[in-house]
Amino acid sequence: MAELLDFVMERLAAEGHPVEAFQAAQDFVREFGALRLVIPGTPPDAVGFTPHWIYEESGEDVAELAGNLGNKLFPVGYETFDGAMLLIDETGRFFLMHHTGPYFLGANTHEAISCLLHGPQQEARDCFV
């Protein structure tokens, strides 16, 4: 998994928006890295708990959200259906960067998984500083 952490850090740094694999991100990847969570429903969806760079300019979007939250963020997964990026902050909170906007998933891993499976997702702006 260290290679994936390094890949994400290198890719976002190349975009001019470096991130670091802080302790909460490392702990999550160590415990859940490479797992796949199937989300019931139609269309079929899943979340891969693997650090991943999603699209050009991901770094800018991650940096903007981190600034609004007042905390560092690190990508630790992605939704397979629409490419939304799963992010963790330094305190262990989870966010989803979706093309419709950023969402807060929960204050810890268990809340985030429950939210991904059952909803509802809260707009991340409620967590902005």
Side-chain angles (χ1 to χ4, degrees):
M1 280 299 156
E3 310 83 40
L4 293 172
L5 295 170
D6 290 342
F7 171 76
V8 170
M9 289 187 292
E10 290 169 11
R11 189 64 184 155
L12 295 179
E15 289 184 12
H17 301 282
V19 295
E20 67 178 78
F22 44 79
Q23 194 64 51
Q26 292 176 35
D27 292 347
F28 178 81
V29 170
R30 187 177 306 108
E31 187 169 356
F32 296 97
L35 291 178
R36 183 179 169 97
L37 173 68
V38 176
I39 300 173
T42 304
D45 197 4
V47 174
F49 294 132
T50 303
H52 198 67
W53 169 83
I54 303 294
Y55 54 88
E56 294 292 332
E57 306 304 322
S58 292
E60 183 176 349
D61 292 342
V62 171
E64 180 180 355
L65 180 56
N68 287 332
L69 295 169
N71 269 317
K72 296 176 184 175
L73 290 169
F74 193 87
V76 293
Y78 59 94
E79 273 191 347
T80 60
F81 178 71
D82 56 9
M85 190 182 319
L86 181 68
L87 303 155
I88 189 171
D89 78 359
E90 297 171 281
T91 69
R93 296 182 304 174
F94 286 83
F95 297 87
L96 187 71
M97 187 174 301
H98 190 265
H99 66 86
T100 60
Y103 295 92
F104 174 67
L105 299 177
N108 57 52
T109 302
H110 296 95
E111 287 182 12
I113 290 173
S114 178
C115 186
L116 286 165
L117 288 172
H118 307 292
Q121 295 174 357
Q122 173 186 344
E123 289 191 32
R125 70 174 173 221
D126 296 339
C127 300
F128 290 1
V129 290

